Amino acid sequence: MIQLSGAGKRFGHKLLFEGADWMITPRDRMGLVGANGTGKSTLMKVLAGLETLDYGSVSFAKGISAGYLPQDGLTLSGQTVFAECMSVFSDLRAMEQEMEDLTGRMPELDHTSAEYAQVADRYHKIEHEFQTREGYAIDAKVGTVLTGLGFRKEDWGRLTDEFSGGWQMRLALAKLLLQQPNLLLLDEPTNHLDLEARNWLEEYLTHYPNAFILISHDRYFLDITVNKIAEIWNKRIHLYSGNYEKYLNQKSQRLEQLQAGYRNQRDRIEQLEIFINRFRYTATKAKQVQSRIKELERMERIELPEEEKTIHFSFPQPKPSGRIVVEFENVAKSYGEKEVFRDVSFMIERGDRIALVGVNGAGKSTLIKLLAREEPLTSGEYREGHNVQADYFAQDQYKELDQDARVLDDLGEISSRSTETELRSLLGCFLFSADDVFKRIGVLSGGERNRYALLRMLLHPANFLLLDEPTNHLDMRAKDVLLESLTKYTGTVLFVSHDRYFIDKLATRIFEVGDGRVEVYPGNYEDYLWRKQGGAAALEQAVAASAKPAIPKPTPPANGRQTEAAQERSDDTQRRLNPIKRKQIEDRVRELEIEISRLERRIGACETALQTFVNSGETERQSRELNDCRKRLKDCLAEWEELSQTLQA
């Protein structure tokens, strides 16, 4: 479909990549990855025909249509949302109009005339093509895509000019998906999507009929949607089969091979140079010396890439709060006649890591503002626990920064114990490198200022963090640093994020916000989806259906009443029942149910993977993982059964 041959590209004096050979076939589902500044977006523009190569060539098969979605910058105006999407089908709508015209002409013509036959023949040809191309379903297609990307039906009739930049990008994505080009090129398509829209797009791309290439910093999204990875690394394009997780394993192996080849080559070069220097002026060895000199000249030198620094930063831990951090009781919030929350009650305990999920406009940001006391309650009660120190990170947190201060100086003032090297390393994690650290905060872009505001907050965290979309504008490396620091954080976190991997790794509870209520689910996002899809109900039914030994009832005395001694024993049992212990057992049972479900899914995945042979090492690893999962499942089932019997007793 598209072929790059010896492709190379420069950005000013910097070489992005060279010598790239890459063939894109009609069914490829590829993720394009690489460090910032390696040329991913530039390569996408080359494939879209918007940029030219400096070296090599790119050839396109006849009839190829490529649709390109940049990260941002697209603006649509002048039409309603629905009309803008319908404009994608202009040729089909023209055919539909012609069919209507021909239908109006036919009754006016003599059915036996040649002109009637010509008009009827034309109508049947157009109608057949219109039907083949699903012209009768275009309204339904537009509605499905708009709904999937989060546009409410009442928004369809609004002018596109009324929408923000993020929604404009959603609309541009909707038009591309409706066009269904031969090659779909998406540069960070999930940047402007909430979790529900991202999940819909994931499902849509899974069934997309043509090829697509996408850049994304959401590793879960890549794992689900792609089956190949192209990486720009060491100024070359390297291709890998499999999703992102498999790419990481293969890259590690490739790097080990490259390092081994480099060491072997250096040893060989050293041997040749020793021989040449030793016998350069010995006449009897002249021929052998010349042979080795030619070997050195012909040798293609292996270059090792710059080592990717792995930074582990330990953020200072906050002072502990009381066990109860926050309590909401019958809380309501309204803006005029618009009701956001009604009768909301929940409790947050020390150490909870809570993810807020829900569609855009459900009230996630409003709930965070209520917890941060940025907004007053309309009614209800908000109780804060002992020694709770809350800190709020808003989406526009950068507005609170000193616009005239330099980044490095400002960070040094709030972290005086850190050296400049440590500060620069930390800034590098959040994508501030080289001279960027000397920029004034006022000249940073919105994304850069948001990243910097998040970094400042995490240097001196409170014991209750409220984070509204902290993963925006972060690449995978920065997300990993943030994730690692929050995982080790001993305080309490409540956050909104649209990154599925980030939520799965961090969250211990899910708060679903919608329809004016807050529903609480234990576990991470995967556990939440499992419960929403009926997994918990199915497990409860299975447990209820399982055979239970009957517990014989004690025979009552002849007078039909308990003896005084028996009554005392019963009362004593009730007094000894520890409600805290019971709650701990119930919580542990719920955790075990989630773990059992996860292990069963993992065992199924391992058994499926073992049916396809990759290599002996991979088979051994999968077999080992399968055995470990089976052993853990057996242990979990045994513990679950024991605790369940304890609760029943």
Side-chain angles (χ1 to χ4, degrees):
M1 199 161 67
I2 299 179
Q3 183 166 4
L4 296 174
S5 301
K9 183 69 179 176
R10 288 185 173 275
F11 187 77
H13 62 84
K14 181 183 179 182
L15 178 64
L16 298 177
F17 55 86
E18 63 179 350
D21 297 316
W22 184 14
M23 179 180 290
I24 301 167
T25 61
R27 293 291 295 171
D28 276 348
R29 286 160 152 68
M30 302 200 71
L32 181 58
V33 302
N36 282 318
T38 54
K40 299 188 298 294
S41 295
T42 301
L43 180 55
M44 291 282 262
K45 291 175 183 176
V46 169
L47 297 174
L50 303 176
E51 292 263 7
T52 58
L53 293 170
D54 293 323
Y55 315 104
S57 63
V58 55
S59 56
F60 298 84
K62 188 176 181 181
I64 288 299
S65 60
Y68 171 59
L69 181 78
Q71 291 186 34
D72 48 41
L74 294 182
T75 305
L76 304 168
S77 61
Q79 296 193 86
T80 65
V81 168
F82 196 84
E84 188 68 49
C85 288
M86 287 294 286
S87 67
V88 167
F89 303 107
S90 56
D91 56 338
L92 284 174
R93 299 182 74 186
M95 291 169 62
E96 187 177 23
Q97 183 61 50
E98 186 177 358
M99 286 165 58
E100 290 181 7
D101 294 342
L102 293 172
T103 303
R105 286 183 60 192
M106 282 191 285
E108 301 172 357
L109 299 174
D110 181 359
H111 288 197
T112 61
S113 67
E115 185 180 2
Y116 179 86
Q118 186 178 10
V119 170
D121 183 59
R122 173 65 179 165
Y123 176 85
H124 288 305
K125 284 182 179 177
I126 295 176
E127 201 273 339
H128 177 72
E129 183 181 354
F130 187 78
Q131 189 171 0
T132 302
R133 293 174 59 185
E134 300 181 334
Y136 293 110
I138 57 176
D139 285 39
K141 286 182 178 179
V142 170
T144 299
V145 171
L146 285 176
T147 302
L149 291 178
F151 288 92
R152 297 171 299 176
K153 199 160 187 178
E154 51 265 35
D155 293 332
W156 298 0
R158 293 172 57 191
L159 289 174
T160 57
D161 311 62
E162 300 175 26
F163 289 88
S164 65
W167 285 97
Q168 293 265 3
M169 293 304 297
R170 286 197 194 205
L171 189 54
L173 174 60
K175 291 180 66 177
L176 269 184
L177 298 180
L178 290 166
Q179 287 172 3
Q180 289 198 344
N182 302 127
L183 178 61
L184 194 58
L185 301 165
L186 305 177
D187 193 348
E188 295 284 1
T190 58
N191 268 2
H192 306 285
L193 302 182
D194 58 22
L195 208 50
E196 286 70 24
R198 193 208 65 85
N199 290 343
W200 179 87
L201 179 61
E202 170 194 306
E203 182 69 19
Y204 185 93
L205 291 177
T206 302
H207 298 97
Y208 189 71
N210 302 320
F212 63 79
I213 300 174
L214 57 90
I215 300 171
S216 178
H217 291 151
D218 186 331
R219 66 178 66 195
Y220 184 90
F221 185 72
L222 286 174
D223 270 341
I224 295 298
T225 54
V226 307
N227 54 27
K228 291 181 182 177
I229 295 288
E231 182 191 30
I232 303 179
W233 180 60
N234 202 20
K235 300 182 178 59
R236 300 277 180 175
I237 296 178
H238 302 273
L239 303 177
Y240 300 83
S241 60
N243 60 12
Y244 188 81
E245 184 179 359
K246 291 181 179 177
Y247 143 76
L248 289 176
N249 294 331
Q250 294 175 44
K251 181 185 177 181
S252 177
Q253 294 172 4
R254 178 172 286 185
L255 182 57
E256 289 175 4
Q257 293 171 357
L258 185 66
Q259 290 170 338
Y262 177 80
R263 288 193 298 269
N264 292 337
Q265 188 180 73
R266 294 306 306 168
D267 291 343
R268 180 58 180 162
I269 290 172
E270 187 177 349
Q271 292 171 4
L272 293 173
E273 288 177 343
I274 289 173
F275 185 91
I276 292 168
N277 292 332
R278 183 176 180 183
F279 299 109
R280 183 184 295 275
Y281 303 109
T282 304
T284 56
K285 300 284 188 179
K287 189 173 182 180
Q288 293 168 297
V289 168
Q290 288 301 314
S291 173
R292 282 161 174 75
I293 290 174
K294 289 179 181 178
E295 182 181 346
L296 273 178
E297 292 172 348
R298 289 193 303 267
M299 188 179 293
E300 186 175 346
R301 302 298 174 98
I302 297 173
E303 292 185 16
L304 287 178
E306 292 183 13
E307 186 176 351
E308 297 179 357
K309 295 180 180 178
T310 303
I311 299 174
H312 302 281
F313 183 82
S314 297
F315 293 106
Q317 296 300 333
K319 295 179 180 179
S321 65
R323 186 178 69 83
I324 304 301
V325 177
V326 162
E327 285 185 273
F328 262 31
E329 187 173 341
N330 302 323
V331 167
K333 176 63 180 177
S334 300
Y335 294 98
E337 296 182 357
K338 183 179 179 182
E339 182 185 62
V340 182
F341 292 113
R342 63 181 179 278
D343 196 29
V344 170
S345 299
F346 58 77
M347 179 189 295
I348 298 175
E349 298 185 3
R350 183 179 63 239
D352 278 345
R353 298 198 291 266
I354 297 167
L356 299 186
V357 303
V359 297
N360 271 8
K364 300 187 296 293
S365 293
T366 301
L367 180 56
I368 286 188
K369 288 177 181 177
L370 293 176
L371 289 165
R373 300 192 185 277
E374 295 282 319
E375 294 274 358
L377 306 181
T378 303
S379 64
E381 189 174 356
Y382 172 19
R383 293 189 292 271
E384 207 171 69
H386 173 68
N387 199 31
V388 172
Q389 299 171 332
D391 203 349
Y392 169 52
F393 176 84
Q395 294 185 41
D396 56 357
Q397 186 69 25
Y398 61 84
K399 293 180 181 177
E400 305 297 324
L401 303 177
D402 180 0
Q403 305 298 305
D404 295 325
R406 295 196 311 176
V407 170
L408 188 62
D409 297 339
D410 185 67
L411 195 64
E413 286 182 11
I414 63 172
S415 184
S416 56
R417 294 185 180 181
S418 301
T419 66
E420 181 175 327
T421 302
E422 290 173 337
L423 293 176
R424 291 183 70 122
S425 296
L426 185 58
L427 284 164
C429 286
F430 286 79
L431 313 183
F432 294 97
S433 57
D435 293 338
D436 290 343
V437 302
F438 300 114
K439 287 182 178 178
R440 299 200 177 276
I441 293 171
V443 304
L444 299 177
S445 67
E448 288 174 328
R449 280 182 282 183
N450 252 18
R451 292 199 303 269
Y452 180 65
L454 177 64
L455 172 56
R456 286 179 93 254
M457 177 181 176
L458 293 174
L459 274 174
H460 293 288
N463 55 28
F464 183 32
L465 296 183
L466 300 160
L467 309 176
D468 195 354
E469 299 197 21
T471 53
N472 275 4
H473 311 291
L474 299 184
D475 67 0
M476 288 187 190
R477 183 181 177 219
K479 284 179 186 177
D480 286 343
V481 172
L482 176 61
L483 179 60
E484 183 182 2
S485 67
L486 290 177
T487 302
K488 295 177 180 178
Y489 172 67
T490 57
T492 307
V493 185
L494 184 139
F495 66 98
V496 177
S497 175
H498 298 152
D499 188 298
R500 169 75 176 271
Y501 180 84
F502 188 86
I503 297 175
D504 271 341
K505 290 294 183 183
L506 183 60
T508 58
R509 298 169 77 195
I510 301 292
F511 281 15
E512 182 187 45
V513 181
D515 297 325
R517 297 192 174 277
V518 177
E519 296 289 337
V520 179
Y521 295 84
N524 61 11
Y525 190 75
E526 184 178 346
D527 303 323
Y528 155 75
L529 288 181
W530 174 72
R531 289 179 177 275
K532 290 285 286 183
Q533 292 162 4
L539 183 60
E540 287 172 6
Q541 290 173 5
V543 171
S546 63
K548 294 187 182 118
I551 301 175
K553 295 182 180 179
T555 304
N559 61 5
R561 294 188 299 176
Q562 287 183 317
T563 64
E564 189 175 338
Q567 181 67 48
E568 286 178 359
R569 285 196 300 271
S570 176
D571 293 343
D572 187 51
T573 301
Q574 293 296 327
R575 284 196 298 270
R576 288 200 307 267
L577 180 62
N578 186 335
I580 295 177
K581 181 66 175 175
R582 180 180 180 85
K583 184 179 184 305
Q584 289 174 343
I585 294 175
E586 289 173 343
D587 289 344
R588 180 56 182 161
V589 167
R590 282 194 292 269
E591 290 173 3
L592 286 168
E593 289 171 356
I594 293 168
E595 180 67 6
I596 287 167
S597 175
R598 189 190 69 79
L599 287 170
E600 287 174 341
R601 290 197 299 273
R602 191 60 201 151
I603 287 170
C606 288
E607 288 173 344
T608 302
L610 280 169
Q611 295 174 11
T612 304
F613 180 77
V614 179
N615 55 56
S616 58
E618 181 66 11
T619 300
E620 183 181 349
R621 187 193 67 78
Q622 290 170 349
S623 299
R624 193 163 54 248
E625 182 181 0
L626 179 59
N627 291 333
D628 290 344
C629 287
R630 284 172 173 166
K631 184 178 181 302
R632 279 156 46 204
L633 178 61
K634 182 179 179 182
D635 294 340
C636 287
L637 284 169
E639 185 182 356
W640 177 83
E641 185 176 357
E642 181 182 350
L643 292 176
S644 297
Q645 289 175 353
T646 302
L647 285 176
Q648 290 172 12

